[in-house]
Amino acid sequence: MPKSFTPHEALIHLMVTVSVADRAMTDIELEAIGHLVDKAPVFEGFDRKGLPAVATRTAELLRGTDGIDQILAAAKAALPERLLETAYALVVEVAAADTVAEQEELRFLEEIRDAFNLDPLVTAAIERSARVRYRRL
């Protein structure tokens, strides 16, 4: 089990994990993570200069045994109940940013839903909202 995460670190670990789930973090996904860290109210008080270090730690954890399970467990422990849906929404936002959600990304979303015991109707609404926002002409 990794050392405990701060709530900010937990959110970043989750976003980075979904972006590398398909083995390729796109520039668009990286930009989406940076934008969310800069603009989302939940990141108030986080020093953006710490983002690369957290992302590097995510990669280290993912290289280890049961890295995804460790990240999910540590993230759930770090986040108050009221932020579990917020975490899911941020992860969906990153997955949707490049308008193509690969099977690995969808699988990770399923793992978050299960690990966080999220309401299926709420997660469906979050996913639908992202699909609508990222639709193209």
Short mmCIF file of all heavy atoms in Angstrom, two decimals, residues 77-118:
data_model
loop_
_atom_site.label_atom_id
_atom_site.label_comp_id
_atom_site.label_asym_id
_atom_site.label_seq_id
_atom_site.Cartn_x
_atom_site.Cartn_y
_atom_site.Cartn_z
N ALA A 77 -9.45 6.15 0.51
CA ALA A 77 -9.15 6.49 1.90
C ALA A 77 -8.89 7.98 2.08
O ALA A 77 -9.20 8.55 3.13
CB ALA A 77 -7.94 5.67 2.38
N ALA A 78 -8.34 8.63 1.06
CA ALA A 78 -7.97 10.05 1.16
C ALA A 78 -9.14 10.99 0.93
O ALA A 78 -9.11 12.13 1.39
CB ALA A 78 -6.88 10.36 0.14
N LEU A 79 -10.13 10.52 0.19
CA LEU A 79 -11.22 11.41 -0.20
C LEU A 79 -12.41 11.30 0.73
O LEU A 79 -12.88 10.20 1.02
CB LEU A 79 -11.67 11.09 -1.64
CG LEU A 79 -10.63 11.38 -2.72
CD1 LEU A 79 -11.08 10.77 -4.04
CD2 LEU A 79 -10.40 12.88 -2.85
N PRO A 80 -12.94 12.45 1.15
CA PRO A 80 -14.20 12.38 1.91
C PRO A 80 -15.31 11.87 0.99
O PRO A 80 -15.25 12.05 -0.23
CB PRO A 80 -14.45 13.83 2.33
CG PRO A 80 -13.51 14.67 1.56
CD PRO A 80 -12.47 13.81 0.96
N GLU A 81 -16.28 11.25 1.58
CA GLU A 81 -17.40 10.66 0.83
C GLU A 81 -18.00 11.65 -0.17
O GLU A 81 -18.30 11.29 -1.30
CB GLU A 81 -18.48 10.20 1.82
CG GLU A 81 -19.71 9.62 1.19
CD GLU A 81 -19.60 8.12 1.01
OE1 GLU A 81 -18.76 7.49 1.62
OE2 GLU A 81 -20.40 7.60 0.20
N ARG A 82 -18.12 12.90 0.21
CA ARG A 82 -18.75 13.89 -0.66
C ARG A 82 -17.94 14.19 -1.92
O ARG A 82 -18.45 14.79 -2.86
CB ARG A 82 -19.06 15.18 0.10
CG ARG A 82 -17.83 15.92 0.55
CD ARG A 82 -18.16 17.15 1.41
NE ARG A 82 -16.96 17.80 1.86
CZ ARG A 82 -16.20 18.59 1.12
NH1 ARG A 82 -16.54 18.85 -0.12
NH2 ARG A 82 -15.12 19.13 1.61
N LEU A 83 -16.67 13.77 -1.97
CA LEU A 83 -15.84 14.02 -3.14
C LEU A 83 -15.66 12.80 -4.05
O LEU A 83 -14.97 12.89 -5.06
CB LEU A 83 -14.47 14.56 -2.73
CG LEU A 83 -14.45 15.97 -2.15
CD1 LEU A 83 -13.02 16.39 -1.84
CD2 LEU A 83 -15.11 16.96 -3.10
N LEU A 84 -16.29 11.68 -3.70
CA LEU A 84 -16.13 10.49 -4.54
C LEU A 84 -16.75 10.69 -5.92
O LEU A 84 -16.17 10.33 -6.94
CB LEU A 84 -16.71 9.26 -3.85
CG LEU A 84 -16.00 8.84 -2.56
CD1 LEU A 84 -16.70 7.63 -1.94
CD2 LEU A 84 -14.52 8.56 -2.79
N GLU A 85 -17.93 11.31 -5.96
CA GLU A 85 -18.55 11.60 -7.26
C GLU A 85 -17.75 12.66 -8.02
O GLU A 85 -17.63 12.60 -9.24
CB GLU A 85 -20.00 12.06 -7.08
CG GLU A 85 -20.91 10.95 -6.60
CD GLU A 85 -22.30 11.44 -6.22
OE1 GLU A 85 -22.54 12.67 -6.18
OE2 GLU A 85 -23.16 10.57 -5.96
N THR A 86 -17.20 13.62 -7.30
CA THR A 86 -16.36 14.63 -7.92
C THR A 86 -15.14 13.97 -8.56
O THR A 86 -14.76 14.31 -9.69
CB THR A 86 -15.91 15.68 -6.87
OG1 THR A 86 -17.08 16.27 -6.29
CG2 THR A 86 -15.04 16.75 -7.50
N ALA A 87 -14.53 13.05 -7.85
CA ALA A 87 -13.37 12.33 -8.39
C ALA A 87 -13.75 11.62 -9.67
O ALA A 87 -13.03 11.68 -10.67
CB ALA A 87 -12.85 11.33 -7.35
N TYR A 88 -14.90 10.96 -9.66
CA TYR A 88 -15.34 10.24 -10.86
C TYR A 88 -15.57 11.23 -12.01
O TYR A 88 -15.15 10.97 -13.15
CB TYR A 88 -16.62 9.45 -10.57
CG TYR A 88 -17.01 8.53 -11.69
CD1 TYR A 88 -16.31 7.35 -11.91
CD2 TYR A 88 -18.04 8.84 -12.56
CE1 TYR A 88 -16.63 6.50 -12.95
CE2 TYR A 88 -18.39 8.00 -13.60
CZ TYR A 88 -17.68 6.83 -13.79
OH TYR A 88 -18.00 5.99 -14.84
N ALA A 89 -16.17 12.35 -11.72
CA ALA A 89 -16.42 13.35 -12.77
C ALA A 89 -15.12 13.87 -13.37
O ALA A 89 -15.02 14.05 -14.58
CB ALA A 89 -17.25 14.51 -12.20
N LEU A 90 -14.12 14.10 -12.54
CA LEU A 90 -12.83 14.57 -13.05
C LEU A 90 -12.17 13.51 -13.94
O LEU A 90 -11.63 13.83 -15.00
CB LEU A 90 -11.89 14.92 -11.89
CG LEU A 90 -12.29 16.13 -11.05
CD1 LEU A 90 -11.43 16.23 -9.80
CD2 LEU A 90 -12.21 17.41 -11.87
N VAL A 91 -12.25 12.26 -13.52
CA VAL A 91 -11.66 11.17 -14.31
C VAL A 91 -12.39 11.03 -15.65
O VAL A 91 -11.76 10.85 -16.69
CB VAL A 91 -11.66 9.86 -13.50
CG1 VAL A 91 -11.23 8.69 -14.36
CG2 VAL A 91 -10.74 9.99 -12.29
N VAL A 92 -13.71 11.12 -15.63
CA VAL A 92 -14.48 11.04 -16.87
C VAL A 92 -14.11 12.20 -17.79
O VAL A 92 -13.98 12.02 -19.00
CB VAL A 92 -16.00 11.02 -16.58
CG1 VAL A 92 -16.82 11.25 -17.83
CG2 VAL A 92 -16.39 9.69 -15.93
N GLU A 93 -13.91 13.36 -17.21
CA GLU A 93 -13.53 14.53 -18.00
C GLU A 93 -12.21 14.28 -18.74
O GLU A 93 -12.08 14.60 -19.92
CB GLU A 93 -13.40 15.75 -17.08
CG GLU A 93 -13.35 17.06 -17.77
CD GLU A 93 -14.66 17.49 -18.39
OE1 GLU A 93 -15.73 16.98 -18.01
OE2 GLU A 93 -14.63 18.36 -19.28
N VAL A 94 -11.25 13.70 -18.07
CA VAL A 94 -9.96 13.40 -18.70
C VAL A 94 -10.13 12.33 -19.77
O VAL A 94 -9.60 12.45 -20.88
CB VAL A 94 -8.92 12.98 -17.65
CG1 VAL A 94 -7.64 12.48 -18.32
CG2 VAL A 94 -8.61 14.14 -16.71
N ALA A 95 -10.90 11.30 -19.47
CA ALA A 95 -11.12 10.22 -20.45
C ALA A 95 -11.83 10.75 -21.69
O ALA A 95 -11.55 10.29 -22.80
CB ALA A 95 -11.94 9.10 -19.81
N ALA A 96 -12.72 11.70 -21.53
CA ALA A 96 -13.50 12.23 -22.65
C ALA A 96 -12.74 13.30 -23.45
O ALA A 96 -13.12 13.59 -24.58
CB ALA A 96 -14.81 12.82 -22.14
N ALA A 97 -11.70 13.84 -22.88
CA ALA A 97 -11.02 14.98 -23.49
C ALA A 97 -10.56 14.73 -24.91
O ALA A 97 -10.65 15.62 -25.76
CB ALA A 97 -9.84 15.42 -22.63
N ASP A 98 -10.06 13.54 -25.20
CA ASP A 98 -9.60 13.28 -26.57
C ASP A 98 -10.68 12.62 -27.42
O ASP A 98 -10.41 12.14 -28.51
CB ASP A 98 -8.31 12.46 -26.59
CG ASP A 98 -8.43 11.12 -25.91
OD1 ASP A 98 -9.54 10.73 -25.51
OD2 ASP A 98 -7.40 10.44 -25.77
N THR A 99 -11.90 12.63 -26.92
CA THR A 99 -13.13 12.16 -27.60
C THR A 99 -13.13 10.67 -27.94
O THR A 99 -14.07 10.20 -28.56
CB THR A 99 -13.47 12.98 -28.87
OG1 THR A 99 -12.49 12.76 -29.87
CG2 THR A 99 -13.61 14.46 -28.56
N VAL A 100 -12.11 9.94 -27.55
CA VAL A 100 -12.07 8.49 -27.79
C VAL A 100 -11.73 7.81 -26.48
O VAL A 100 -10.60 7.93 -26.00
CB VAL A 100 -11.02 8.13 -28.86
CG1 VAL A 100 -10.96 6.63 -29.04
CG2 VAL A 100 -11.30 8.83 -30.17
N ALA A 101 -12.69 7.12 -25.91
CA ALA A 101 -12.43 6.36 -24.68
C ALA A 101 -12.10 4.92 -25.07
O ALA A 101 -12.96 4.21 -25.59
CB ALA A 101 -13.63 6.42 -23.76
N GLU A 102 -10.87 4.55 -24.86
CA GLU A 102 -10.43 3.20 -25.18
C GLU A 102 -10.96 2.21 -24.14
O GLU A 102 -11.34 2.60 -23.04
CB GLU A 102 -8.89 3.14 -25.22
CG GLU A 102 -8.27 4.07 -26.24
CD GLU A 102 -8.55 3.68 -27.68
OE1 GLU A 102 -8.89 2.51 -27.94
OE2 GLU A 102 -8.44 4.56 -28.55
N GLN A 103 -10.95 0.93 -24.49
CA GLN A 103 -11.45 -0.12 -23.59
C GLN A 103 -10.78 -0.07 -22.23
O GLN A 103 -11.43 -0.26 -21.21
CB GLN A 103 -11.27 -1.50 -24.22
CG GLN A 103 -12.34 -1.89 -25.20
CD GLN A 103 -13.74 -1.79 -24.60
OE1 GLN A 103 -14.57 -1.03 -25.08
NE2 GLN A 103 -14.02 -2.53 -23.56
N GLU A 104 -9.47 0.18 -22.20
CA GLU A 104 -8.75 0.23 -20.93
C GLU A 104 -9.24 1.37 -20.05
O GLU A 104 -9.35 1.22 -18.83
CB GLU A 104 -7.24 0.36 -21.18
CG GLU A 104 -6.62 -0.79 -21.93
CD GLU A 104 -6.66 -0.66 -23.45
OE1 GLU A 104 -7.31 0.29 -23.97
OE2 GLU A 104 -6.07 -1.51 -24.13
N GLU A 105 -9.54 2.49 -20.67
CA GLU A 105 -10.07 3.63 -19.92
C GLU A 105 -11.46 3.31 -19.38
O GLU A 105 -11.76 3.62 -18.22
CB GLU A 105 -10.12 4.88 -20.81
CG GLU A 105 -8.76 5.41 -21.19
CD GLU A 105 -8.81 6.48 -22.25
OE1 GLU A 105 -9.56 6.32 -23.24
OE2 GLU A 105 -8.11 7.49 -22.09
N LEU A 106 -12.28 2.69 -20.20
CA LEU A 106 -13.62 2.31 -19.75
C LEU A 106 -13.56 1.31 -18.61
O LEU A 106 -14.35 1.37 -17.66
CB LEU A 106 -14.43 1.75 -20.92
CG LEU A 106 -14.70 2.74 -22.06
CD1 LEU A 106 -15.38 2.03 -23.22
CD2 LEU A 106 -15.52 3.92 -21.58
N ARG A 107 -12.60 0.40 -18.68
CA ARG A 107 -12.41 -0.59 -17.62
C ARG A 107 -12.00 0.10 -16.32
O ARG A 107 -12.49 -0.24 -15.25
CB ARG A 107 -11.36 -1.62 -18.04
CG ARG A 107 -11.02 -2.62 -16.98
CD ARG A 107 -12.18 -3.60 -16.73
NE ARG A 107 -11.83 -4.49 -15.66
CZ ARG A 107 -12.54 -4.64 -14.55
NH1 ARG A 107 -13.69 -4.02 -14.41
NH2 ARG A 107 -12.14 -5.44 -13.60
N PHE A 108 -11.12 1.09 -16.41
CA PHE A 108 -10.71 1.82 -15.21
C PHE A 108 -11.90 2.58 -14.62
O PHE A 108 -12.06 2.61 -13.40
CB PHE A 108 -9.54 2.76 -15.49
CG PHE A 108 -9.06 3.48 -14.26
CD1 PHE A 108 -8.53 2.77 -13.19
CD2 PHE A 108 -9.13 4.86 -14.17
CE1 PHE A 108 -8.09 3.42 -12.04
CE2 PHE A 108 -8.69 5.52 -13.03
CZ PHE A 108 -8.17 4.80 -11.96
N LEU A 109 -12.73 3.17 -15.45
CA LEU A 109 -13.93 3.84 -14.94
C LEU A 109 -14.82 2.85 -14.18
O LEU A 109 -15.37 3.18 -13.13
CB LEU A 109 -14.71 4.49 -16.09
CG LEU A 109 -14.04 5.68 -16.76
CD1 LEU A 109 -14.86 6.15 -17.96
CD2 LEU A 109 -13.84 6.82 -15.78
N GLU A 110 -14.94 1.65 -14.72
CA GLU A 110 -15.73 0.62 -14.04
C GLU A 110 -15.12 0.28 -12.68
O GLU A 110 -15.83 0.11 -11.69
CB GLU A 110 -15.79 -0.62 -14.92
CG GLU A 110 -16.62 -1.75 -14.37
CD GLU A 110 -16.65 -2.95 -15.30
OE1 GLU A 110 -16.61 -2.77 -16.53
OE2 GLU A 110 -16.72 -4.07 -14.78
N GLU A 111 -13.81 0.19 -12.65
CA GLU A 111 -13.13 -0.12 -11.39
C GLU A 111 -13.35 0.99 -10.35
O GLU A 111 -13.53 0.70 -9.17
CB GLU A 111 -11.64 -0.33 -11.62
CG GLU A 111 -11.35 -1.62 -12.37
CD GLU A 111 -9.87 -1.87 -12.58
OE1 GLU A 111 -9.10 -1.70 -11.61
OE2 GLU A 111 -9.49 -2.23 -13.71
N ILE A 112 -13.35 2.24 -10.79
CA ILE A 112 -13.63 3.35 -9.86
C ILE A 112 -15.06 3.25 -9.36
O ILE A 112 -15.32 3.39 -8.16
CB ILE A 112 -13.39 4.73 -10.52
CG1 ILE A 112 -11.92 4.93 -10.85
CG2 ILE A 112 -13.89 5.86 -9.61
CD1 ILE A 112 -11.65 6.19 -11.64
N ARG A 113 -16.00 3.03 -10.27
CA ARG A 113 -17.41 2.91 -9.86
C ARG A 113 -17.56 1.84 -8.78
O ARG A 113 -18.25 2.05 -7.78
CB ARG A 113 -18.30 2.58 -11.05
CG ARG A 113 -18.48 3.70 -12.03
CD ARG A 113 -19.57 3.41 -13.07
NE ARG A 113 -19.34 2.21 -13.84
CZ ARG A 113 -18.76 2.16 -15.04
NH1 ARG A 113 -18.34 3.28 -15.61
NH2 ARG A 113 -18.62 1.02 -15.68
N ASP A 114 -16.91 0.71 -9.00
CA ASP A 114 -17.01 -0.39 -8.04
C ASP A 114 -16.30 -0.07 -6.73
O ASP A 114 -16.86 -0.26 -5.65
CB ASP A 114 -16.43 -1.68 -8.63
CG ASP A 114 -17.27 -2.24 -9.77
OD1 ASP A 114 -18.44 -1.83 -9.93
OD2 ASP A 114 -16.74 -3.09 -10.52
N ALA A 115 -15.06 0.41 -6.82
CA ALA A 115 -14.28 0.69 -5.62
C ALA A 115 -14.93 1.77 -4.75
O ALA A 115 -14.89 1.70 -3.53
CB ALA A 115 -12.86 1.12 -6.01
N PHE A 116 -15.52 2.77 -5.40
CA PHE A 116 -16.14 3.87 -4.67
C PHE A 116 -17.62 3.64 -4.39
O PHE A 116 -18.27 4.46 -3.78
CB PHE A 116 -15.98 5.18 -5.45
CG PHE A 116 -14.57 5.72 -5.50
CD1 PHE A 116 -13.49 5.03 -4.95
CD2 PHE A 116 -14.31 6.93 -6.11
CE1 PHE A 116 -12.19 5.54 -5.02
CE2 PHE A 116 -13.03 7.45 -6.18
CZ PHE A 116 -11.96 6.75 -5.63
N ASN A 117 -18.15 2.51 -4.88
CA ASN A 117 -19.56 2.16 -4.68
C ASN A 117 -20.49 3.31 -5.09
O ASN A 117 -21.36 3.74 -4.34
CB ASN A 117 -19.81 1.75 -3.23
CG ASN A 117 -21.12 1.02 -3.07
OD1 ASN A 117 -21.59 0.35 -3.98
ND2 ASN A 117 -21.73 1.16 -1.90
N LEU A 118 -20.27 3.80 -6.31
CA LEU A 118 -21.04 4.95 -6.80
C LEU A 118 -22.38 4.52 -7.37
O LEU A 118 -22.49 3.44 -7.95
CB LEU A 118 -20.22 5.69 -7.86
CG LEU A 118 -18.92 6.30 -7.36
CD1 LEU A 118 -18.12 6.88 -8.53
CD2 LEU A 118 -19.17 7.37 -6.31
#
